[in-house]
Amino acid sequence: MPGYLRNLNLWPPSHNMVVNGLRATWIIVVLWYEVCTFDHVLHDCQWPDTHQPDAPNARIARVLVVADPQIADHRSYPNRNFLMKALGQFIIDLNLRRSWHSTINRMQPHAVVFLGDLMDNGRATMSNSEYNPYAARFFDIFNLRDLSIPTFFLPGNHDLGLGEEFSFSLEAATRYTSHFGPLNHKTTIGNHTVLFINAIGLVEEDVVRADRGYSYDNWPAVAGGSVEFVKRFSGHEHASPIVLFTHIPLARPFDADCGPLRERGTIRQGHGLGYQNTLSNEASQFLLRSLGPSLIFSGDDHDYCEYSHPLPFPSASGSTAAREITVKSFSMAMGIHQPGFQLLSLISRVPVMETLTQLPNSPPSLLDTPCFLPDQLGIYLNIYLPFILLSVLSLLAFNAHRTLAGGNKHTHRQPEVSPLPKYSERSPSRRNNDYELYQRSLGQSVSEDSDEDPMLPLPVTKPAGPAYSNKFRGRSSSSLVFYLPGRRRRISLSLPCSKANRRVHEVGLLRGFFSDMVDVAWPPLLAFCIAAWCTTHV
């Protein structure tokens, strides 16, 4: 070790130096990754109309698109024990709250669209007394009841259930509509027609249609279903561009590329218990032919994907292809590194006195861009976990060094031995009395077997405390006997055996280690709680 560290009393490090150093480092790490990371990641996230040249009388409607939050409950991870379920649900909810709070405060949209899969087990069979608090937790996490922003919902397969399964509730659709609104609906935002299609109902109706051998043109649509909704809408002329929202993506070729922003793989047709990766080719062409959308947003896949569908005729915006954006999941628990959301800007040139949703027909513009959230799971696994291991090893090594060096504050200290009296200045009897008092003060037994003058032994002492008793965990102790000439005094010293001595060091090491762990852990945990509250409430 360099000499200047020793001269500065920096080596070996003191107990306070080690504990306070780890505390300070942990607090800095927690504040950066729990507070500053969201601002850092979202710093470059801007509305796509920001860099557009200002146009006279232009009105902009900004829509925040969120996909697959999938609020977890006790059914989400059936193979975990109660403690791990509760911990997982707490961490996921906290991350959703923090992500939403940071996003909504920074972006300040004019409207919000949720692309389905609002709750992970909204389709499960449960009583209303269980479903109502479950749905209330969704609204509480996203603070929707206190926001004065128009919010639109779309059902997903985790909300309604897809196919026939005994664990899917027959009341799922009724419960969904009572809390989140209609399954199929339309609205107008910024001179654009916005359609919300119940893709789950469309898939189920599409299966029945195909089994019965009907085409979409002659299929007697189910009353109140998705096919009837689309046919009724397409029966009228619509001059404004159409933005289509569907939970399940439209069909595309098997090897279709999703673009560079996707984390892995692509979207391929497939289905299983309660899900279907894409709509069928017939259902997809039915939507494209009947609606002619200018832009499509979908969810369900959890990862980002961008694909252009050719249109049979130009859309209202004049495009011969419809871009479909599959939006990233907003949740950290959906198997992707970085969750995300989509920003949609709807631009129209309108008279100054017109309102946002009552605009005359004018050439609009649609702009969108993805935004990404921090890799929270990566922070836990790649930052916190290694640093926890490093802290544990550091404290363990420090306490081991301190114990072996005899400086562990949790080991028993030997009592100080007072200096021996100067026997040369006293009489023999006075020397003997003083010597007896001295030995008794050390807990040593003195026996008189000789009249010879005493000969003083080396200063020795018997450490006090239960760890050094003869009955320490059933261990016997060894005795060291001094024979003193003169008065034939015999001094018996009880010393702990080597195994007991090792046990003492082990007890001191573990006690010091766990005490230091608590001393290091509580300040960053307090900082974590304060940061969590501030990032979800302030």
Side-chain angles (χ1 to χ4, degrees):
M1 183 56 58
Y4 68 89
L5 291 180
R6 297 183 183 275
N7 295 335
L8 294 175
N9 294 326
L10 296 179
W11 191 264
S14 65
H15 173 263
N16 289 338
M17 186 183 300
V18 173
V19 171
N20 291 333
L22 287 174
R23 280 179 179 175
T25 307
W26 261 113
I27 291 175
I28 293 173
V29 170
V30 167
L31 291 180
W32 171 257
Y33 285 104
E34 298 302 319
V35 178
C36 301
T37 299
F38 280 87
D39 293 335
H40 177 73
V41 172
L42 292 176
H43 179 267
D44 297 330
C45 182
Q46 298 180 345
W47 289 99
D49 61 85
T50 303
H51 302 291
Q52 294 295 312
D54 294 334
N57 300 333
R59 298 293 298 270
I60 302 174
R62 293 172 169 175
V63 183
L64 171 65
V65 184
V66 178
D68 304 278
Q70 286 191 216
I71 307 299
D73 70 345
H74 65 277
R75 301 175 182 84
S76 299
Y77 303 100
N79 295 326
R80 297 182 182 179
N81 58 43
F82 173 79
L83 180 61
M84 294 305 297
K85 286 181 181 179
L87 180 61
Q89 182 175 308
F90 170 79
I91 291 176
I92 295 172
D93 284 6
L94 177 61
N95 178 256
L96 286 172
R97 290 178 188 273
R98 183 181 291 131
S99 299
W100 175 255
H101 190 269
S102 300
T103 300
I104 203 71
N105 285 345
R106 182 173 183 84
M107 307 318 304
Q108 297 184 353
H110 300 142
V112 178
V113 174
F114 284 90
L115 278 171
D117 278 358
L118 311 178
M119 301 185 295
D120 192 36
N121 287 289
R123 63 189 179 185
T125 300
M126 67 181 77
S127 63
N128 290 333
S129 60
E130 183 180 0
Y131 184 89
N132 292 338
Y134 193 11
R137 220 175 93 228
F138 172 88
F139 285 96
D140 179 66
I141 289 174
F142 291 98
N143 196 29
L144 296 178
R145 302 192 189 280
D146 297 332
L147 295 177
S148 58
I149 301 176
T151 306
F152 306 94
F153 300 99
L154 198 63
N157 55 300
H158 281 265
D159 302 312
L160 302 183
L162 179 58
E164 296 182 357
E165 168 64 25
F166 72 92
S167 62
F168 296 165
S169 174
L170 299 177
E171 301 177 355
T174 303
R175 293 187 310 210
Y176 173 88
T177 56
S178 64
H179 287 82
F180 301 101
L183 302 176
N184 297 286
H185 57 110
K186 70 180 182 69
T187 188
T188 302
I189 302 177
N191 200 33
H192 293 71
T193 300
V194 180
L195 294 179
F196 302 93
I197 299 296
N198 174 18
I200 311 305
L202 179 59
V203 167
E204 294 179 337
E205 190 170 352
D206 181 64
V207 171
V208 177
R209 176 203 61 80
D211 289 343
R212 296 182 181 179
Y214 284 90
S215 66
Y216 272 100
D217 293 332
N218 56 18
W219 165 249
V222 176
S226 300
V227 176
E228 183 190 55
F229 176 81
V230 171
K231 286 185 173 182
R232 187 170 65 250
F233 177 84
S234 63
H236 301 83
E237 292 291 334
H238 297 278
S240 61
I242 296 173
V243 181
L244 175 63
F245 289 94
T246 170
H247 177 70
I248 301 177
L250 274 64
R252 71 277 315 276
F254 180 79
D255 57 348
D257 183 37
C258 282
L261 297 181
R262 187 174 178 85
E263 293 187 11
R264 60 179 181 273
T266 187
I267 298 178
R268 294 188 173 94
Q269 294 188 13
H271 60 85
L273 179 62
Y275 75 91
Q276 183 167 310
N277 292 339
T278 66
L279 299 176
S280 66
N281 292 323
E282 294 81 3
S284 300
Q285 290 302 315
F286 168 67
L287 293 179
L288 294 173
R289 184 177 64 253
S290 302
L291 304 177
S294 299
L295 187 61
I296 305 171
F297 289 98
S298 59
D300 188 61
D301 183 69
H302 303 164
D303 203 353
Y304 185 86
C305 186
E306 182 174 345
Y307 179 78
S308 294
H309 300 274
L311 293 174
F313 54 84
S315 64
S317 60
S319 175
T320 58
R323 284 178 62 242
E324 179 181 352
I325 305 299
T326 302
V327 182
K328 273 201 165 192
S329 171
F330 199 72
S331 172
M332 61 172 281
M334 294 297 110
I336 53 175
H337 292 292
Q338 282 193 280
F341 54 90
Q342 201 78 8
L343 300 178
L344 171 64
S345 295
L346 305 176
I347 306 174
S348 296
R349 294 182 178 87
V350 299
V352 177
M353 298 303 294
E354 293 291 339
T355 62
L356 181 66
T357 57
Q358 295 176 344
L359 308 176
N361 294 331
S362 58
S365 178
L366 298 90
L367 302 173
D368 68 277
T369 187
C371 290
F372 304 108
L373 295 166
D375 181 8
Q376 193 67 52
L377 190 59
I379 291 174
Y380 289 148
L381 297 180
N382 301 327
I383 303 297
Y384 289 167
L385 184 58
F387 200 53
I388 288 174
L389 296 177
L390 179 61
S391 301
V392 169
L393 293 177
S394 299
L395 291 175
L396 191 60
F398 174 77
N399 277 274
H401 175 269
R402 185 172 61 172
T403 302
L404 295 176
N408 195 322
K409 66 179 181 179
H410 297 284
T411 58
H412 295 285
R413 299 186 182 277
Q414 296 181 351
E416 295 183 359
V417 180
S418 59
L420 291 175
K422 298 180 180 180
Y423 290 94
S424 60
E425 301 175 359
R426 302 180 182 223
S427 62
S429 61
R430 183 66 176 271
R431 282 183 292 167
N432 293 338
N433 292 335
D434 290 343
Y435 187 72
E436 290 175 8
L437 292 175
Y438 172 72
Q439 296 299 335
R440 290 192 180 109
S441 68
L442 298 181
Q444 301 168 354
S445 60
V446 180
S447 62
E448 296 186 6
D449 295 324
S450 175
D451 294 333
E452 297 181 8
D453 291 335
M455 186 175 183
L456 296 177
L458 293 175
V460 292
T461 183
K462 175 183 177 182
Y468 285 88
S469 66
N470 293 342
K471 298 181 180 180
F472 180 74
R473 294 187 180 275
R475 304 285 185 179
S476 61
S477 61
S478 60
S479 297
L480 183 62
V481 180
F482 288 90
Y483 290 92
L484 303 179
R487 297 176 56 85
R488 300 185 58 85
R489 297 176 181 270
R490 184 179 63 188
I491 303 174
S492 298
L493 302 180
S494 296
L495 300 177
C497 64
S498 59
K499 292 184 178 180
N501 194 34
R502 286 197 300 269
R503 176 74 66 173
V504 171
H505 286 291
E506 292 174 2
V507 170
L509 170 63
L510 295 177
R511 188 181 300 172
F513 168 71
F514 285 115
S515 176
D516 289 344
M517 282 289 293
V518 173
D519 290 343
V520 170
W522 74 261
L525 286 176
L526 180 61
F528 180 90
C529 295
I530 295 175
W533 188 89
C534 291
T535 53
T536 56
H537 292 83
V538 178

